[in-house]
Amino acid sequence: MKNRVVLAYSGGLDTSVAIGWLSRDLNADVIAVAADVGQGGEDMEVIRKRALSCGAVESVVLDLKNEFADEYCLPALKANALYMDRYPVVSSLSRPLISKHLVTEAQRFNANVVAHGCTGKGNDQVRFEVSIAALDPSLKIIAPVRDSGMTRDKAISFATENNLPIEVNKKSPYSIDQNVWGRAIETGFLEDIWNAPIEDIYSYTAAPNTNNAPDEVLFSFQNGTPVAIDGKTVSMLEAITLLNARAGAHGIGRIDMVEDRLVGIKSREVYEAPGAIALITAHQELSNVTMERELARFKRQVDQRWTELVYDGLWFAPLRRSLDAFIENAEQGVTGDIRMMLHGGRATVTGRRSEESLYSFELATYDTGDQFDQSMAKGFIEIFGLTTKLAALRDRKFRNGK
Ligand code: ARG
């Protein structure tokens, strides 16, 4: 029987070649599925037609921008998701969503195989395959670049020999993945970790310039969700898009780091995520004002665990659902406004206000109106420090204080 393969199609060289490659090697009908997760660039209709010219029997384009923003970026914002304290898990968020739709399309077209264009060295292969297996374990998964020797050189000769409508020389020296939450740039000269990034690699951000006039933004959140920017109601997608433009114009959200991949490799990654960084910065500060201390401390650990789980490709794991339930509950009351200054590569919070604020002027002030009874502090410290004091006395007696 002829195989039917659903291929995660980007429109680029590798996945375009994969259409012909899979048809030949697997004796398969290939159904190309391209997902719009806000990556911008080429027109999705051009991409859809290209798959057909490359030999796909069906070609589908899915507009997943709102679903991506609402169901993936928003939970990441609520979790203040920054892997290794810096990377806003841009690619890690899109893979499970794309996988979900690959599975739906596979079921709709009666396909028995799902294919993706990842190499064997990255995290994305893990994210795709774990997600697909979780959603439909009966599907076979193949990755031609990794599993069937489709190297770059072979891909280029295949494209030329078969007259595929793709410009093989136009392939950039970098591996780039982008969506509305941000953009990742890897490989090429960046693999020498002493090399500084050059201006050319950026596209979501302008070079930070302190001579530009600052831009002030007012964020309004309701239970952790951004609901308005400068008083105007926005959807999550609109909030991200707007902030990508405004924070991007000030060079905010550029990240250059060496990252621990799940597969064990340390890799150099450059990211730009202006909207994500501005939103997370605002959300973190509003949480500082509205979230009770013990909950906030515990939530930081939950946030980190959530982020590592999602980075590692375990979006569909039961633990993520349970952590999300905790986070959702913790976010009740993260409501109010944040004022932020965008300038010279920095997003700086300059004001916060909230009806659910736990900040009490009367308790915090050092001026008149102080209602904090300082006389109670003495006894509190005495008892709070008691166990440390007892242990220190004991250690002085038996071990010279060590
Ligand atoms: N290292 C990042 C991650 O694992 C970015 C991956 C980008 N993917 C790509 N195919 N260039 O999430």
Side-chain angles (χ1 to χ4, degrees):
M1 209 189 79
K2 213 166 180 195
N3 283 302
R4 279 174 83 73
V5 183
V6 160
L7 168 70
Y9 183 64
S10 72
L13 173 71
D14 289 343
T15 54
S16 295
V17 168
I19 296 174
W21 194 282
L22 290 165
S23 315
R24 189 192 61 190
D25 272 23
L26 280 186
N27 178 32
D29 283 339
V30 176
I31 297 135
V33 175
D36 184 355
V37 285
Q39 62 270 41
E42 268 192 313
D43 186 343
M44 293 307 286
E45 186 52 24
V46 173
I47 292 179
R48 195 186 69 80
K49 290 200 175 119
R50 182 175 306 137
L52 294 171
S53 340
C54 290
V57 298
E58 301 271 1
S59 183
V60 183
V61 161
L62 304 170
D63 180 357
L64 307 181
K65 293 193 289 290
N66 275 301
E67 187 180 0
F68 182 57
D70 293 336
E71 310 291 328
Y72 294 77
C73 302
L74 181 56
L77 173 62
K78 289 180 176 172
N80 300 308
L82 295 171
Y83 181 66
M84 295 174 79
D85 295 331
R86 300 187 69 194
Y87 165 45
V89 293
V90 172
S91 308
S92 334
L93 292 174
S94 70
R95 283 3 184 201
L97 170 66
I98 298 169
S99 301
K100 178 180 151 196
H101 286 275
L102 291 173
V103 169
T104 311
E105 295 306 302
Q107 290 164 348
R108 180 158 81 96
F109 286 104
N110 250 318
N112 58 328
V113 182
V114 174
H116 62 77
C118 300
T119 70
K121 293 180 74 166
N123 299 314
D124 290 329
Q125 52 172 344
V126 182
R127 297 170 184 149
F128 275 125
E129 298 189 19
V130 173
S131 301
I132 293 163
L135 297 170
D136 187 345
S138 73
L139 288 167
K140 185 177 171 220
I141 304 169
I142 82 152
V145 177
R146 180 194 65 192
D147 305 335
S148 64
M150 201 190 97
T151 59
R152 206 184 145 179
D153 291 348
K154 286 192 196 160
I156 293 176
S157 349
F158 190 97
T160 329
E161 278 158 28
N162 294 279
N163 274 321
L164 296 186
I166 28 177
E167 294 167 71
V168 288
N169 310 323
K170 255 189 130 181
K171 195 167 156 84
S172 107
Y174 311 109
S175 165
I176 293 174
D177 184 52
Q178 61 191 56
N179 60 51
V180 74
W181 200 235
R183 185 164 175 269
I185 308 117
E186 324 170 287
T187 72
F189 82 103
L190 295 169
E191 283 173 356
D192 179 339
I193 62 177
W194 186 247
N195 284 341
I198 50 170
E199 216 36 57
D200 274 17
I201 64 174
Y202 296 110
S203 96
Y204 284 18
T205 54
N209 180 349
T210 45
N211 294 322
N212 291 345
D215 183 8
E216 194 179 270
V217 192
L218 178 73
F219 295 78
S220 305
F221 287 87
Q222 218 162 55
N223 299 323
T225 302
V227 291
I229 303 288
D230 291 335
K232 191 178 162 288
T233 304
V234 284
S235 66
M236 183 63 185
L237 179 62
E238 288 165 341
I240 307 168
T241 310
L242 191 74
L243 287 157
N244 274 342
R246 287 174 65 178
H250 288 273
I252 288 155
R254 289 185 173 186
I255 300 148
D256 175 4
M257 65 188 283
V258 170
E259 171 179 305
D260 280 314
R261 285 192 186 167
L262 177 61
V263 295
I265 300 169
K266 282 191 188 287
S267 73
R268 166 72 165 302
E269 307 279 335
V270 176
Y271 300 106
E272 39 182 357
I277 295 301
L279 280 160
I280 292 173
T281 305
H283 177 262
Q284 276 174 329
E285 182 61 8
L286 187 60
S287 307
N288 291 344
V289 175
T290 55
M291 199 175 286
E292 185 273 331
R293 184 189 67 196
E294 295 309 310
L295 177 58
R297 285 182 177 175
F298 191 76
K299 182 170 177 290
R300 278 183 210 113
Q301 298 174 36
V302 172
D303 288 349
Q304 190 179 338
R305 193 70 192 85
W306 188 97
T307 305
E308 287 168 355
L309 196 72
V310 168
Y311 181 87
D312 287 349
L314 302 180
W315 181 270
F316 292 103
L319 180 56
R320 206 263 315 158
R321 286 198 293 276
S322 295
L323 296 182
D324 261 341
F326 170 85
I327 292 170
E328 197 52 38
N329 198 268
E331 289 289 300
Q332 299 309 304
V334 182
T335 298
D337 299 334
I338 290 291
R339 190 179 59 230
M340 180 182 278
M341 195 72 94
L342 309 172
H343 189 231
R346 286 169 193 274
T348 311
V349 173
T350 59
R352 41 316 248 163
R353 66 179 174 204
S354 166
E355 283 180 1
E356 303 223 28
S357 172
L358 294 173
Y359 176 85
S360 158
F361 177 83
E362 289 71 28
L363 289 177
T365 186
Y366 283 91
D367 293 334
T368 41
D370 183 4
Q371 286 178 10
F372 186 86
D373 183 353
Q374 298 196 33
S375 70
M376 294 191 306
K378 200 172 152 51
F380 165 72
I381 298 165
E382 195 74 33
I383 294 172
F384 176 71
L386 187 59
T387 66
T388 302
K389 193 164 124 190
L390 287 174
L393 286 171
R394 189 267 323 265
D395 294 343
R396 184 163 316 153
K397 187 164 159 197
F398 291 102
R399 273 182 294 281
N400 234 343
K402 293 203 181 83

